[in-house]
Amino acid sequence: REGSGEFHAMEDEEQRQEEVEALEAIYGDDFSRTAEDCFEIAVRLPDDRPLLLSIAQPSEYPSSATVILQVRASWLSGGDEDVLTAGLLSVAEESIGEVVVFKLVEWLREEGVHLLPPPDSLPASHRPAPEWQEEEEQQEEEGKVWDEDWTEEIARAIEEAKQASGGLQKGRGAHLSRSEQQRWLAQIV
């Protein structure tokens, strides 16, 4: 009997490792390890609201235990968090014996979103920022602020690149949109 327990422990460890590798491949930058058997997945709901799903894989998972989980977002009320957690735990407990994290993320996107109040019913302070605003805030944090000085430098660099590559018409660089400037700058740098 003791040998059987060791077999399950080895099998569980292998399944946990395979699950993590698959999740890393599926979710890419939205997946991050926080400890050996712990990780987080940034989940974007169909209505564009972001959630963070934190997962811990106990040593008995998946054969005889399920994951330990937490769902968070700055715009979630405590009651909404409880509703989502209860739904996720129900799915997880029904799936003991199999890896479940992908199923949990899909449940959040397909079912859990319907248990939440619509985004426009949230107080303004709890609404997620539009995606463009989040990108600008992240760029500011990383020191990538697109002010007038940068625009002039970008325009010069774009002009040089265009002349070297026979690109767009001469003189148009200063009138490119921010995304066009970023695209050109990425090609140059």
Side-chain angles (χ1 to χ4, degrees):
R1 297 238 169 209
E2 191 174 311
S4 173
E6 289 175 21
F7 174 76
H8 282 295
M10 288 177 23
E11 189 175 287
D12 281 346
E13 184 175 345
E14 185 177 310
Q15 286 184 344
R16 287 191 306 273
Q17 288 174 351
E18 288 174 359
E19 180 179 40
V20 167
E21 289 171 9
L23 294 169
E24 284 177 316
I26 292 167
Y27 298 112
D29 291 341
D30 291 334
F31 178 95
S32 63
R33 259 186 203 267
T34 55
E36 185 177 336
D37 288 326
C38 301
F39 51 87
E40 295 178 330
I41 300 173
V43 179
R44 178 122 356 231
L45 298 176
D47 60 15
D48 227 23
R49 291 185 282 181
L51 293 171
L52 189 63
L53 178 62
S54 299
I55 299 286
Q57 298 171 311
S59 60
E60 303 83 22
Y61 169 76
S63 68
S64 60
T66 191
V67 294
I68 299 164
L69 60 88
Q70 180 182 25
V71 63
R72 299 183 315 246
S74 60
W75 54 269
L76 266 181
S77 72
D80 293 335
E81 208 172 287
D82 292 344
V83 167
L84 289 179
T85 299
L88 289 165
L89 286 173
S90 175
V91 170
E93 289 168 1
E94 291 171 2
S95 303
I96 289 179
E98 60 187 74
V99 293
V100 70
V101 177
F102 180 80
K103 189 185 289 188
L104 296 175
V105 173
E106 292 307 301
W107 182 88
L108 276 171
R109 289 182 175 152
E110 295 172 9
E111 305 297 327
V113 67
H114 301 296
L115 301 176
L116 299 171
D120 57 358
S121 71
L122 296 172
S125 62
H126 286 79
R127 290 185 194 148
E131 191 169 316
W132 61 267
Q133 186 176 352
E134 289 174 3
E135 288 175 13
E136 282 184 358
E137 289 169 1
Q138 181 179 1
Q139 288 173 349
E140 286 176 13
E141 288 174 17
E142 295 172 358
K144 298 177 183 174
V145 181
W146 297 95
D147 58 15
E148 292 302 316
D149 294 334
W150 269 102
T151 302
E152 289 176 25
E153 287 182 43
I154 293 169
R156 276 194 297 277
I158 291 170
E159 197 60 44
E160 290 172 14
K162 288 190 300 184
Q163 289 174 1
S165 67
L168 297 172
Q169 296 174 346
K170 188 173 183 177
R172 183 165 177 246
H175 302 290
L176 293 175
S177 71
R178 176 186 286 183
S179 62
E180 289 173 314
Q181 289 174 1
Q182 289 173 335
R183 208 172 21 256
W184 271 99
L185 184 61
Q187 291 174 358
I188 296 165
V189 177

